[in-house]
Amino acid sequence: MKTLRKILFYLSLISGVLIISLTISVFLFKDKIINQFVKQANERLNTPVQIGKISVSIIEKFPQLSIVFHDVYVEDSHTGQYPLMTAKIVSFQISPIEVWKGVYTIRGLQIRDSETNLKIDANGKNNYTILKESGEKKSSAAGEISFELKNVSLQNTVVHYRDLSIKHDFTFNSNKLNASIQSSHDIYTIETTGDLTTEKFNIGNTSLLTGKSFGINSNLIYNDTDRLLTIKPSSLALRNSSFLVQGEYRWKDKNLIDITIEGKDTDIQTLLSLLPEATSSALQKYQSKGAVYFKGRLNGEISNKKNPSASVEFGFTNATLFHPDYKSRVEHASLTGSFASSTITDPAQAVLILKNITGTLNREPFAANFIIRNFTDPEVILDFKGRIDAAAIQGFYPMENLQDVVGAIQADISLEGKLQQLKKKATAQRVTTRGSVELDNISLVYGKNKIPLQKLKGSLQFNNNDLALSNVSGKFGNSDFLLNGFFKNIITFLLFDDQPIGIETDLQSNFIDLDQLFDLGFNDASTTEQYTFSISRNINLNFNCNIKGLRYKKFKARNVVGDLLVRNEMAVSRNLALKTMGGDLSLSGIVDAKNNKAIGIATTAKLTGIHLDSVFYVFDNFGQTFIESKHLRGKANADVTLELTLNQHLRLYSETLTADINAIIKQGELNNFEPLKKLDKYLHDDGLNNVRFSDLKNDIHIEKKTVYIPQMEVRTNVTELKISGTHTFDQRIDYRIVTPLRKRKITDLEAQGAVEEDATGQTKLYFKIIGTTDDYKVSYDTEAVKKKIANDLKNEVQELKDAFKNKGTQKKKELELQKDEYFDWE
């Protein structure tokens, strides 16, 4: 034991002396070592290197001597000043004994906090040729720097690689990579372990593997003479899966690649994560159980004119697909898939095949096949057959704005053809769509307002680009419907933006709630207005309706029967009849919405037995308080011709309203009308509070924000009146009233000027009501004023009416929609 202790003591003493000696030697000869190392390095480099500080340490990687560079900047070989690499620390390990002999063999390398920029310009010239050719070296063999790297460590490393000649752009980063490099006759064997994240992996316009973190265990052989990198079987770990990678990449004469990758212990979640981010983001949480396989190959030349081919085979058998947050599962799922492209950067060469897709969704079986050729101009072959529970679809892949989905869909459909051919009428029929969809009591809640769609059922039949609806019924919010007809060009409309659709259908309904439907269809969240109305130029509609009840704000209608034609942002109804406001209404008209900020309307209407108080109530007393629904009773028969313009929120531009109204009012009453009550001062008759009158006829004209009322005779229970005047939209009034004078003396001089005795000997008294509806004055009308008003007003109204009739003749046009040319698109 004593001998052993002595041996250990002397060994420790020798080691301590050696360490102290080495440390002292390093301290004494530090500058010489640094200068010699830098000298040799500069003889090997073509580009400038800037170093903030250089130090030598024996402690860092004992017993190796470490030469440590701080704040390193290496210039690249392109013209101009651009960094090839920057690093906080670059540390080289060499043998201190070899250093004493003047030999600088680097046996270890550590790089921390670095960023490397590798670039190939459009002419194929790289920026990383920074070493001098062997013939340019001036140093002797004894002083040369050589490499035998068995310990390479990279920490917090970022590498950018851009090849402008073939449009490749890659960015990788790693927290930690360890490598061992052995060399023999310009052949290097490299073993690497660690992590690698692909921040960017763009090949042409295709982005792949973005943000994917791999665990690496690789075995590489690099032949510097032949410019050949051979990948021996190496593994990449991603999520819970691993991939076996092998192959080679050579670039001496041409850039040639041949690499295969095969999945081991793979799942759906990992395979989906390999897809482009735009595709995989919505699917990244889906998981699988069961056997999943994946094998791919990249093979061919890489140049500015050529790109390698790619092929992938994948699939699964008896798998279960599910989302951990959702209830529904696809079980007993099987699929055989492949992807191939002769040129990886050209989507026009790509073919995706998904065959024998089978499974059950919540125990309901389905089967499908899907093929797509040419991703630039897709040609699709698709078929699907199965019964799908609607709640299961929502439970497996929730769709925005849909909640509480129940019911079932039975589908047997197929589609084949080039999708772009659907855009033109001449080629659309080359795409064949066949099959049917049966809707079985589907109910759901839709939108932010949570409007329910209930008991949707019926049959949908596909015939190429058209869809036939047979007894499709349901309830949408407060409205119910039964539809029979056709949706023409439906596939094109659903697949592409700015495409037309033709709808020819009959609608039957017990009740339609237009308030709710307008809010859903036209509500604009960017404005405080309730509706933003428009007619799409892509909507072509031939619509016949039979609606038992309808509501829009205060307007209610029954037995609505008629047609509606929509084309070129115009809507036409030739014969619409309904019961409303206690009577009957029939109308024909045009809505021109080509300019949705100035929606033109021209219509003719016939009113029969319409209640006056209901009219004033429904239209909110036409925005005035002078005469309101509470003042009026009676039934109106009228022929109305009008033109007007609305804004996009269905508000009237009042200056655009022109109308002719030929009206007869029966059983009329005017109750508690303040202007008439004020006549009691002159007529001394309490009956003016409740005036009942016989049939009243008149032709009323509206133009320039003014209502013109020609003189009309009103026989009431109190007296006989003649009334005429004007009433403007800003509520300025000018009414003239003529009434018989009862037998009594007129002592007021002003009143005497307003009295006239006609040829029969009857005395008449003339009044005027002038001012605004809020501030008006009832006074006598003198003879001069009376004659001027009577003559001028009569002539003026007649001129306006004549002008309006001429204008109306030009305006009353009808949109010609012949049946054989009803739906036509380019």
Side-chain angles (χ1 to χ4, degrees):
M1 290 297 293
K2 289 183 179 180
T3 303
L4 180 61
R5 289 193 193 99
K6 288 181 180 180
I7 292 173
L8 292 174
F9 172 76
Y10 287 123
L11 287 175
S12 300
L13 181 62
I14 292 171
S15 298
V17 171
L18 181 60
I19 291 173
I20 292 172
S21 300
L22 287 173
T23 303
I24 294 173
S25 298
V26 167
F27 178 76
L28 294 176
F29 296 100
K30 177 178 70 172
D31 291 341
K32 180 181 178 181
I33 295 171
I34 291 172
N35 290 335
Q36 184 66 19
F37 187 87
V38 171
K39 176 183 176 182
Q40 297 302 321
N42 283 332
E43 289 183 356
R44 297 290 300 272
L45 296 175
N46 261 329
T47 59
V49 176
Q50 298 177 16
I51 300 172
K53 183 178 72 172
I54 303 176
S55 62
V56 178
S57 172
I58 193 65
I59 304 299
E60 183 175 324
K61 294 289 181 179
F62 182 83
Q64 297 292 318
L65 182 67
S66 296
I67 300 177
V68 184
F69 292 179
H70 300 265
D71 299 325
V72 178
Y73 177 96
V74 181
E75 186 75 25
D76 75 359
S77 57
H78 278 174
T79 304
Q81 293 186 346
Y82 303 101
L84 176 65
M85 187 190 77
T86 59
K88 285 288 185 184
I89 298 290
V90 177
S91 177
F92 301 93
Q93 281 76 54
I94 56 180
S95 169
I97 296 174
E98 292 178 345
V99 170
W100 284 110
K101 297 178 181 180
V103 176
Y104 294 88
T105 302
I106 298 175
R107 303 184 183 279
L109 173 65
Q110 282 77 44
I111 302 176
R112 295 199 297 270
D113 301 323
S114 66
E115 184 170 359
T116 304
N117 298 282
L118 306 176
K119 183 179 179 181
I120 299 176
D121 64 19
N123 298 317
K125 183 179 180 182
N126 70 62
N127 73 332
Y128 45 83
T129 304
I130 63 173
L131 296 178
K132 293 178 180 178
E133 297 293 333
S134 56
E136 297 180 8
K137 295 185 292 187
K138 299 178 181 179
S139 59
S140 64
E144 289 181 1
I145 297 177
S146 61
F147 294 88
E148 291 185 9
L149 293 172
K150 294 186 178 180
N151 181 16
V152 178
S153 175
L154 305 178
Q155 297 181 21
N156 298 329
T157 297
V158 178
V159 177
H160 305 282
Y161 175 82
R162 295 184 66 197
D163 189 337
L164 300 180
S165 64
I166 53 177
K167 297 183 179 179
H168 288 181
D169 190 359
F170 309 139
T171 298
F172 307 95
N173 70 62
S174 175
N175 292 323
K176 187 174 182 180
L177 276 176
N178 294 314
S180 174
I181 304 175
Q182 298 180 1
S183 62
S184 175
H185 303 291
D186 290 334
I187 296 177
Y188 300 86
T189 301
I190 307 166
E191 295 180 355
T192 305
T193 60
D195 65 85
L196 182 70
T197 298
T198 55
E199 287 187 9
K200 184 192 297 184
F201 200 92
N202 294 344
I203 300 176
N205 296 322
T206 303
S207 179
L208 302 169
L209 305 174
T210 302
K212 303 299 183 292
S213 295
F214 297 90
I216 297 177
N217 190 345
S218 68
N219 185 0
L220 311 176
I221 298 176
Y222 169 59
N223 187 324
D224 188 47
T225 302
D226 294 338
R227 295 293 192 266
L228 170 65
L229 176 65
T230 302
I231 305 174
K232 293 294 184 179
S234 304
S235 66
L236 294 176
L238 176 64
R239 298 180 183 266
N240 298 321
S241 302
S242 63
F243 298 88
L244 183 66
V245 182
Q246 57 186 335
E248 64 180 30
Y249 177 61
R250 62 175 70 237
W251 62 94
K252 186 173 184 179
D253 299 317
K254 294 181 180 180
N255 292 331
L256 300 174
I257 191 170
D258 187 1
I259 294 178
T260 61
I261 180 170
E262 184 174 357
K264 300 289 185 181
D265 302 321
T266 310
D267 57 23
I268 288 292
Q269 191 174 14
T270 303
L271 295 184
L272 290 175
S273 71
L274 298 175
L275 297 173
E277 186 69 22
T279 304
S280 65
S281 59
L283 305 172
Q284 60 185 351
K285 289 188 177 181
Y286 284 85
Q287 300 178 10
S288 69
K289 294 179 181 178
V292 178
Y293 66 90
F294 173 88
K295 186 175 182 179
R297 184 182 183 188
L298 194 64
N299 180 44
E301 180 180 346
I302 302 175
S303 66
N304 57 354
K305 295 182 179 180
K306 294 183 178 180
N307 285 285
S309 64
S311 61
V312 180
E313 295 178 358
F314 56 93
F316 45 82
T317 56
N318 199 27
T320 298
L321 312 178
F322 64 96
H323 192 294
D325 298 334
Y326 306 144
K327 296 179 181 179
S328 298
R329 292 180 171 222
V330 174
E331 298 176 306
H332 310 297
S334 297
L335 177 147
T336 300
S338 65
F339 173 86
S341 177
S342 58
T343 304
I344 191 173
T345 58
D346 185 3
Q349 305 298 321
V351 178
L352 174 66
I353 300 175
L354 305 177
K355 296 192 302 181
N356 302 322
I357 306 169
T358 60
T360 62
L361 179 57
N362 285 12
R363 296 180 295 279
E364 294 282 2
F366 64 86
N369 294 280
F370 178 75
I371 300 174
I372 179 170
R373 298 187 178 95
N374 187 345
F375 282 44
T376 302
D377 183 12
E379 180 182 358
V380 173
I381 301 174
L382 165 69
D383 63 77
F384 178 90
K385 185 176 183 179
R387 178 179 171 85
I388 302 296
D389 181 74
I393 298 176
Q394 183 70 2
F396 184 74
Y397 189 83
M399 288 166 278
E400 189 178 1
N401 293 325
L402 296 185
Q403 302 176 31
D404 302 334
V405 181
V406 297
I409 300 171
Q410 179 74 43
D412 185 356
I413 57 175
S414 64
L415 183 149
E416 182 174 354
K418 285 191 173 184
L419 298 184
Q420 290 294 331
Q421 290 178 338
L422 292 169
K423 287 188 173 183
K424 295 183 179 180
K425 184 179 180 181
T427 58
Q429 296 305 314
R430 298 177 188 174
V431 180
T432 59
T433 306
R434 294 287 186 269
S436 63
V437 176
E438 298 290 333
L439 307 174
D440 186 2
N441 280 316
I442 294 176
S443 296
L444 54 88
V445 175
Y446 175 79
K448 63 179 181 180
N449 295 329
K450 296 184 176 181
I451 298 177
L453 173 63
Q454 298 174 313
K455 299 181 179 179
L456 179 63
K457 54 186 178 181
S459 298
L460 309 177
Q461 298 286 333
F462 287 94
N463 181 17
N464 291 336
N465 202 16
D466 301 334
L467 178 67
L469 285 71
S470 178
N471 294 324
V472 176
S473 64
K475 189 174 181 182
F476 190 54
N478 299 327
S479 306
D480 64 85
F481 57 88
L482 173 62
L483 295 171
N484 284 280
F486 297 91
F487 282 14
K488 296 187 175 182
N489 203 43
I490 181 68
I491 306 297
T492 300
F493 180 78
L494 293 177
L495 292 179
F496 302 103
D497 293 332
D498 198 29
Q499 291 294 318
I501 184 172
I503 304 173
E504 297 183 9
T505 185
D506 296 331
L507 167 67
Q508 295 183 41
S509 175
N510 291 312
F511 180 71
I512 298 293
D513 186 346
L514 286 180
D515 280 325
Q516 193 176 60
L517 296 180
F518 274 22
D519 186 58
L520 180 67
F522 302 125
N523 188 46
D524 186 353
S526 65
T527 178
T528 57
E529 297 285 352
Q530 187 176 8
Y531 303 130
T532 301
F533 179 83
S534 64
I535 299 177
S536 171
R537 62 186 177 89
N538 293 323
I539 298 296
N540 299 272
L541 181 65
N542 187 349
F543 188 70
N544 294 297
C545 65
N546 188 340
I547 303 170
K548 292 182 179 180
L550 179 146
R551 178 178 66 198
Y552 174 68
K553 296 183 178 179
K554 293 181 179 180
F555 178 78
K556 296 180 181 180
R558 296 179 293 110
N559 299 336
V560 182
V561 179
D563 58 28
L564 176 65
L565 304 179
V566 175
R567 187 181 180 188
N568 298 329
E569 298 177 89
M570 298 181 69
V572 177
S573 180
R574 294 193 183 97
N575 184 21
L576 183 64
L578 52 98
K579 293 184 178 295
T580 183
M581 295 177 285
D584 296 310
L585 172 64
S586 61
L587 61 87
S588 299
I590 298 174
V591 177
D592 185 348
K594 289 188 178 69
N595 180 356
N596 75 324
K597 294 184 179 180
I599 301 169
I601 297 177
T603 185
T604 60
K606 184 175 183 64
L607 290 69
T608 304
I610 299 294
H611 289 211
L612 287 177
D613 54 341
S614 296
V615 174
F616 274 72
Y617 169 77
V618 166
F619 292 99
D620 293 321
N621 296 311
F622 301 97
Q624 51 84 42
T625 58
F626 182 63
I627 182 168
E628 300 177 335
S629 60
K630 63 184 179 181
H631 299 131
L632 292 167
R633 293 290 185 273
K635 296 182 179 180
N637 297 332
D639 292 317
V640 179
T641 302
L642 64 83
E643 298 176 16
L644 54 90
T645 302
L646 306 176
N647 68 8
Q648 66 269 37
H649 308 301
L650 303 185
R651 302 290 190 269
L652 172 66
Y653 292 112
S654 56
E655 66 274 13
T656 67
L657 174 61
T658 59
D660 264 340
I661 305 171
N662 183 352
I664 299 175
I665 300 175
K666 297 178 177 294
Q667 303 172 14
E669 294 184 21
L670 191 58
N671 299 314
N672 298 311
F673 185 47
E674 193 63 30
L676 281 184
K677 289 169 64 177
K678 289 187 177 182
L679 291 180
D680 180 59
K681 170 183 176 182
Y682 307 98
L683 301 178
H684 302 287
D685 195 325
D686 295 334
L688 293 174
N689 289 335
N690 300 99
V691 176
R692 296 184 299 277
F693 46 89
S694 59
D695 292 358
L696 178 64
K697 298 181 181 180
N698 203 357
D699 295 330
I700 299 173
H701 183 69
I702 303 174
E703 190 166 2
K704 297 179 181 178
K705 298 197 290 187
T706 301
V707 179
Y708 296 91
I709 305 173
Q711 190 176 79
M712 58 183 172
E713 187 172 326
V714 183
R715 297 180 181 273
T716 74
N717 58 313
V718 178
T719 185
E720 295 179 5
L721 302 175
K722 291 183 179 179
I723 301 175
S724 62
T726 60
H727 191 142
T728 66
F729 287 8
D730 60 359
Q731 306 308 324
R732 302 196 66 83
I733 57 176
D734 186 351
Y735 288 111
R736 306 299 162 133
I737 300 174
V738 182
T739 181
L741 181 63
R742 297 190 178 184
K743 294 181 179 180
R744 55 189 178 85
K745 284 188 177 182
I746 298 295
T747 58
D748 191 324
L749 292 177
E750 182 184 0
Q752 290 178 354
V755 173
E756 180 190 36
E757 185 174 329
D758 62 16
T760 63
Q762 184 179 12
T763 303
K764 297 180 180 179
L765 185 60
Y766 289 80
F767 296 97
K768 56 185 177 182
I769 304 175
I770 297 177
T772 67
T773 55
D774 295 327
D775 183 16
Y776 58 87
K777 180 180 180 182
V778 179
S779 60
Y780 295 114
D781 194 3
T782 64
E783 184 69 19
V785 174
K786 177 209 45 161
K787 289 181 179 180
K788 184 177 185 300
I789 293 296
N791 293 331
D792 293 351
L793 186 59
K794 182 177 180 181
N795 294 334
E796 182 181 356
V797 170
Q798 188 59 46
E799 290 172 1
L800 285 171
K801 287 175 65 176
D802 292 342
F804 180 75
K805 287 179 180 178
N806 293 334
K807 180 180 178 183
T809 300
Q810 180 181 1
K811 183 71 175 181
K812 279 187 282 183
K813 55 189 176 180
E814 182 171 324
L815 185 62
E816 294 297 334
L817 296 178
Q818 299 298 328
K819 190 170 184 179
D820 58 350
E821 65 177 9
Y822 163 64
F823 179 56
D824 188 13
W825 81 97
E826 296 299 330

